[in-house]
Amino acid sequence: QVQLVESGGGLVQSGGSLRLSCAASGRTFSTYVMGWFRQAPGKERVFVATISWTGGRTYYADSVKGRFIISRDNAKSTVYLQMNSLKPEDAAVYYCAARLYGTSLVANEYEFWGQGTQVTVSS
């Protein structure tokens, strides 16, 4: 079991930056693949980024590639999502998630989820 708590969301102007954090507790953090997903009102939860156990492999949704960076600090049991050049369409509730077996872009393959943090982007 792992518990996940996101933070760092808020209101930002278009073109601005935010850094989301997801702190984990429970089972050894370094054994989990971590992912970020987002869900806008009335829409499905969609993949944003994922990072392997060691941080050596990362994958991004095409919509955020080149603007967002996922990273992790296993010593702090924390995964980050640096979001740059934010656009109004990036506004959503952002969730971090954890799974044990390999990177995945599919939400229902993640076993553990945080409560989400709201990101609002004003135009």
Side-chain angles (χ1 to χ4, degrees):
Q1 284 276 357
V2 64
Q3 292 77 44
L4 304 173
V5 179
E6 302 97 334
S7 62
L11 173 64
V12 63
Q13 287 188 333
S14 182
S17 297
L18 278 177
R19 188 196 198 199
L20 305 183
S21 299
C22 174
S25 60
R27 184 173 166 165
T28 305
F29 177 73
S30 59
T31 63
Y32 287 93
V33 167
M34 300 300 297
W36 285 98
F37 292 78
R38 66 187 183 187
Q39 187 168 20
K43 296 188 177 181
E44 293 184 351
R45 191 171 299 189
V46 297
F47 168 76
V48 174
T50 186
I51 188 166
S52 62
W53 300 302
T54 63
R57 285 176 293 156
T58 57
Y59 301 94
Y60 297 91
D62 287 344
S63 59
V64 307
K65 204 171 293 183
R67 299 188 298 123
F68 290 11
I69 300 171
I70 188 172
S71 62
R72 67 189 296 161
D73 185 338
N74 286 343
K76 295 183 178 179
S77 298
T78 302
V79 62
Y80 305 98
L81 186 68
Q82 178 66 43
M83 305 187 296
N84 301 318
S85 302
L86 282 161
K87 305 175 182 179
E89 53 263 42
D90 293 318
V93 177
Y94 282 72
Y95 298 90
C96 74
R99 71 187 303 266
L100 285 171
Y101 303 111
T103 53
S104 173
L105 281 59
V106 180
N108 63 15
E109 294 184 353
Y110 284 77
E111 298 148 297
F112 305 101
W113 290 84
Q115 82 290 347
T117 186
Q118 177 72 50
V119 172
T120 304
V121 184
S122 63
S123 56

